[in-house]
Each structure stands twice: as C-alpha cells, then as structure tokens.
Amino acid sequence: MKLNWQVFATLLFVALAFSGTTDAVDGGLINTNAIRTIDLRSLPAVTEQVGVVVQNSHDSKAAKTYSVYIPHAKADRLAKVTVHERKSGAELQVSKMDNEHLGNILPPQPIEYRATLLQPLQPGEKISLNIDSVYLNTVEPRPKVVEQTGDQTWLWKDDACILSAYPINKEKTVVRTNGEIKAYSQIKESSKDGKSVTFGPFINGPSPNGPVEVRFRDNREQLEALTHRREYFVSHWANDLNILEHYALRNRAPALEAFDKVKQTMSRFMKARDNFVKTLLVKVPADARDMYVVDEIGNVSTSAVTRRQRLDGDAFKVMQLKPRYPLAGQWNYTWWHGYSVPLSNYLRVNHNRHALRVPFIGSIVGSASQKEEIPLTAINTHNTAVNAYELRITLPEGATNVDVRVPFNVDSIRQLPQSYYFDSSGRTVVVIEHANVAPSAVDAHVLVTYDYSVLSLWQKPLVIAMVVFALFALTSLCSRMQLGLAAAKPATTATKKTQ
C-alpha cells in the first residue's frame, strides 16, 4: 500500500534526526512498546500520556537523554510536557531544544524536548517512561452551528501513530471521551469499547492510514480566556495585598443558528438544558474582603459571595458572577473584579529580606446553572482554558534586589519601573507572561524575594512631609514679599519749604 505524505514526512524526519550532528538525539534507542492514551474527559484541556518501554540497542554507547517530539501543528496549543520514570515515579529534567541541526530540509519541524535520564541507560538495558503532555483547545465543535437546545458534538483529529525520534516496534492509541461516541475512523486496526476508541496495535512501523478522527457528544460547559491579567499590589503600611483580575472570556460551545429569547426564558422554569453559560464561579481566599465586579458598563450588582466554605481541607469563598447576559456559543464577555487580603498571610520577613509567596493564577469555572447555591464540587472542574496570561506584581517603593522564582518554565519574566501617586523613586513591577496555562498551574505559587529596609518604609511619609513643609515655607515666603507697585512716599519738610 502506498504511504501518504504525512507518513513519508515522519520517516524522513526520523532519518534526519539520526543523521544529525552531536546535538542530535541519542542513536541506538528503540521503543519496544508504546501506548498513547488521549483523555478527552476534562475539556478544554486534552491530556496525552505516552507510556514507552525504551531499550538501548547500541553496542557500546550508553544513552543519557531521551527526546520527545511535539508535532508542529499542535505546538502552539501545548501547555505542559513532563517525563517520569514509571518505576520510581521520579520526574526527569526536560529542556526545549532549538533543532538547528535538522536544518530547513523538512519544514515545518516538530518541537523537540529532551529529557535527561537519572542514570545512563547501558547497552541492552530497558527503562519505562511516562510522557505526559497537556494541550488546550485542540478539539473543535462539529457542527459549528447548532440549535439553541441542541447537543454539542466535538471532533478530535490526530495522527494514528506517535511521532517519535526512535523506531517503534509496537504501538497503539486509546481515545477516551466523557460522552457518547457518534463516529470514528473505521480503519482496519480500530475498535470501540463504550466511551473509548482504540487505534492499533501497529507492528513495526506507522500505519498508512494517516490521521484519524473521533466525534463524540459532550454537553458540559467549556470556556476560553482569550486574555487574563492578574495584578498584585503590595502595601506594607496598610498590611494589604490587593488583587485585581481582568478577563476576556469566550464560550467555546457551537454558535447558535438563531437566538430565541422566549426559549431561553422558558428554560429557566422548565429546567431544560441549553448551550448558555449563566454563572461564573471565582474561588477567592477565605479572608478576602472589599470585593467588587465591574464590566465595561459599570458595577455588576447581580453578583454574590458565598460564606466561608471548606473542601478537602481548603478554606475559601466563592464569588458567583452573573453576567449581564447569558453566554451563548462563541459569545464573549469582558470584566474585571478585585478584592483585598491581609498581606501578613503571604509575606515572610527576615531582617530586611522579604519573601512574598502568592498563587500563580486564579481559578474560574463556568456553569449553566441558575441556582443561587451551586455545589462546591463545581469549583474544581477547571473548564476554562487560558490562552494568554499576564501576571503583574507591584512591589512597594524602595524594594531592591528583586528575585523571582516560578515552579515551571514561562515565556518571559521582566522587571519594569513604574511610578504611582506620591512616588519619588518609583516602584518595581514584576511582569510574568505565559501562553497556554495548564489547569495544574492553579496550584502553583510564585515566590518573590526583595530587600526592604525601615528607611524605605518611611520614604513616602518623609517625602510627603518634606513636600508639605516646602509648601508651607513657600507660602510663608510669598506672604512676606511685595508683589504689587510700591506706594508713593510722603514729601519731606525740607522739600515743602523749598516749594
């Protein structure tokens, strides 16, 4: 059977990888068995786990690294990639490579990530690895337009075989969904079992069938944060940490053929499902205060805050945001909300060295429910994908020797100067930017350390006092100055006698 161009490209890419320079992948490794599991049950995040048994077939050379290839078509949707040893569970160090040794012979090139093994793999030895990657928004609605109460059908499409730098003796792909499977690619090596589809096993080489598809039903809510900006403002004088979040949100559901206000209103009383997101749930700390929600029109007074809750040992409150209109498929909503928390709960001080530890990103969940009290378990569904994220931490004036630590690689970390009211020397603003934030980042924290002396604490009051004193001195000086024309002096006695 004649191979298509995707399979030919894969074989050529592997050949080029093996024939590269010293920066190329370790030769001699073979994947004796590989099982790829595609988890579509936590959309819009798609988790892909590849379990491989790797053998070093080289005669005398030990392998120190293992290369993972991400297809170019999915690289811009990649949120996270990790590699673990299956036996010990230890996570391996993973670095992104530039792939310059492959040249421009085969555009577009896959993205290479290289994992460093804990111990060199000697000739003839085997090791089992788990490669976990998370992608955002890789499934699309099909059809793209539905009725107001119609089912949401989604399409997953990918190559049937794994793109790897090494030969694979045996492999298969398992796709798991949360809803009913409507259709899937009927190739020779495919089978369906309930809510999962298996492609393979393929023996000694890729399948000639190319990409495969799975269409499935999933009526759960899916949101997409086109942009999300989270800002922290640190105030030592007020012992206050102010948090401000800006959102530009979109409902990823299929677009509506036509919006019917009557049907949408009737669904509130008939308890019928539709494709609208009616409530947004924001998880905030239990000690949060002074909360507000504002959109482009003004204050959103339909929002509410639950009392202190506790789930799995975590105490928190939930802001229930009611948008001005229900979000239908492909509709957008833009707003910002904020609150304050005690700074002492997030700051540790050792002499002049301060350590601020804050969450990397906040959690937001979309719900189709219109109930006043939504179950707490809904707050942990993580059904919002963040495409472009920006974190800004504004430190107090006088903070120096700033150091930032993030538990994973981000796109950029910058420190910018910025001045606010009554600032004399300006403040340092830490700006962290990252695209495609994985759902697991909700549990991550950012550590910012900086020097802040007692003199820096009194810098603003002293500057204000000096300005006020200077104004009083200037006012006093001006009151003693003669700014008008001088009055004429009276004539003297001698002058009068002469006249």
Side-chain angles (χ1 to χ4, degrees):
M1 185 177 292
K2 193 174 182 179
L3 296 180
N4 58 23
W5 70 270
Q6 291 98 336
V7 176
F8 175 76
T10 302
L11 295 176
L12 181 58
F13 181 83
V14 173
L16 288 173
F18 280 125
S19 61
T21 63
T22 55
D23 291 333
V25 298
D26 283 329
L29 295 183
I30 297 177
N31 297 320
T32 60
N33 191 21
I35 300 177
R36 179 176 62 166
T37 302
I38 310 294
D39 192 348
L40 305 177
R41 297 174 296 183
S42 300
L43 297 178
V46 176
T47 303
E48 179 176 317
Q49 183 182 79
V50 180
V52 293
V53 179
V54 185
Q55 182 179 8
N56 187 357
S57 62
H58 200 276
D59 295 334
S60 58
K61 182 180 178 181
K64 299 180 181 180
T65 61
Y66 182 88
S67 293
V68 177
Y69 285 149
I70 303 298
H72 185 272
K74 301 193 300 182
D76 59 343
R77 304 291 182 90
L78 178 66
K80 182 180 180 182
V81 58
T82 57
V83 181
H84 293 81
E85 280 192 0
R86 187 180 305 173
K87 184 176 180 180
S88 64
E91 182 175 352
L92 306 184
Q93 182 180 357
V94 178
S95 303
K96 185 177 180 180
M97 311 302 294
D98 54 14
N99 283 353
E100 291 182 355
H101 63 278
L102 295 177
N104 297 321
I105 300 178
L106 188 64
Q109 301 174 10
I111 307 301
E112 178 186 355
Y113 289 84
R114 190 169 296 180
T116 303
L117 302 178
L118 298 180
Q119 298 292 336
L121 189 64
Q122 301 300 325
E125 292 183 348
K126 293 184 178 181
I127 188 174
S128 297
L129 301 177
N130 285 336
I131 306 167
D132 299 300
S133 52
V134 179
Y135 300 90
L136 302 181
N137 306 325
T138 55
V139 297
E140 298 295 334
R142 290 294 187 277
K144 294 185 177 181
V145 179
V146 297
E147 296 181 356
Q148 192 161 301
T149 58
D151 288 330
Q152 301 178 18
T153 303
W154 301 86
L155 170 66
W156 171 86
K157 183 178 181 180
D158 203 347
D159 290 333
C161 295
I162 305 168
L163 177 61
S164 176
Y166 315 102
I168 303 178
N169 294 344
K170 181 181 179 181
E171 64 175 306
K172 71 176 180 180
T173 296
V174 181
V175 181
R176 296 176 179 174
T177 68
N178 187 69
E180 177 188 0
I181 296 177
K182 295 291 187 178
Y184 64 96
S185 298
Q186 300 285 343
I187 63 176
K188 181 180 178 181
E189 305 90 345
S190 64
S191 60
K192 173 186 173 184
D193 183 14
K195 297 180 181 180
S196 64
V197 177
T198 302
F199 298 101
F202 306 120
I203 308 298
N204 294 327
S207 168
N209 297 283
V212 291
E213 299 180 355
V214 176
R215 295 174 182 264
F216 60 98
R217 182 183 65 188
D218 193 339
N219 291 325
R220 296 177 303 170
E221 302 82 4
Q222 293 187 43
L223 296 176
E224 176 183 10
L226 305 178
T227 59
H228 177 198
R229 184 171 79 250
R230 185 179 180 95
E231 301 183 35
Y232 291 99
F233 297 90
V234 179
S235 174
H236 285 256
W237 269 100
N239 186 32
D240 180 78
L241 180 63
N242 186 262
I243 302 171
L244 179 62
E245 293 191 273
H246 298 256
Y247 275 96
L249 208 64
R250 174 186 295 171
N251 186 356
R252 295 196 70 245
L256 300 182
E257 290 182 352
F259 175 66
D260 192 330
K261 180 62 177 179
V262 176
K263 287 185 178 180
Q264 196 273 327
T265 305
M266 291 294 294
S267 65
R268 301 175 56 184
F269 304 98
M270 301 176 61
K271 298 182 179 181
R273 66 158 302 276
D274 53 31
N275 296 321
F276 292 92
V277 172
K278 307 177 185 67
T279 305
L280 301 172
L281 306 177
V282 179
K283 186 177 181 180
V284 299
D287 51 5
R289 63 181 187 274
D290 302 332
M291 289 170 274
Y292 60 91
V293 183
V294 181
D295 61 11
E296 295 177 343
I297 298 177
N299 183 49
V300 183
S301 59
T302 54
S303 303
V305 181
T306 65
R307 58 184 179 276
R308 183 186 180 100
Q309 309 286 348
R310 182 172 291 275
L311 182 65
D312 298 331
D314 183 22
F316 58 91
K317 296 178 182 177
V318 177
M319 295 177 62
Q320 296 186 0
L321 312 183
K322 301 286 187 180
R324 296 183 184 274
Y325 50 89
L327 295 182
Q330 304 302 312
W331 286 14
N332 298 345
Y333 186 59
T334 303
W335 83 97
W336 59 94
H337 63 263
Y339 54 91
S340 295
V341 293
L343 177 63
S344 56
N345 294 345
Y346 302 86
L347 186 68
R348 296 295 179 266
V349 181
N350 184 11
H351 300 290
N352 289 337
R353 196 63 178 170
H354 293 64
L356 179 69
R357 185 174 181 268
V358 293
F360 175 76
I361 192 172
S363 173
I364 184 169
V365 177
S367 175
S369 175
Q370 301 184 84
K371 298 180 180 179
E372 295 296 332
E373 291 290 338
I374 298 178
L376 292 180
T377 53
I379 198 65
N380 294 326
T381 55
H382 302 305
N383 61 0
T384 302
V386 180
N387 295 350
Y389 179 65
E390 180 181 343
L391 174 64
R392 301 176 68 92
I393 304 176
T394 302
L395 300 177
E397 185 180 23
T400 58
N401 299 329
V402 180
D403 181 66
V404 184
R405 297 183 182 182
V406 185
F408 49 84
N409 294 328
V410 294
D411 294 342
S412 68
I413 300 179
R414 297 175 295 161
Q415 296 183 22
L416 304 177
Q418 190 167 352
S419 297
Y420 289 90
Y421 299 108
F422 297 109
D423 284 351
S424 56
S425 59
R427 310 184 185 197
T428 299
V429 180
V430 177
V431 181
I432 302 175
E433 295 177 328
H434 192 55
N436 299 327
V437 181
S440 59
V442 173
D443 300 323
H445 288 75
V446 178
L447 180 63
V448 180
T449 56
Y450 55 93
D451 291 336
Y452 192 67
S453 63
V454 177
L455 181 61
S456 299
L457 180 64
W458 285 92
Q459 178 176 341
K460 186 182 292 293
L462 290 176
V463 170
I464 295 176
M466 291 175 62
V467 171
V468 173
F469 177 78
L471 290 176
F472 274 109
L474 182 61
T475 303
S476 177
L477 179 63
C478 291
S479 64
R480 288 169 171 75
M481 295 177 61
Q482 183 65 42
L483 300 179
L485 297 176
K489 295 182 179 180
T492 60
T493 307
T495 303
K496 292 180 179 179
K497 290 181 177 180
T498 304
Q499 294 177 348

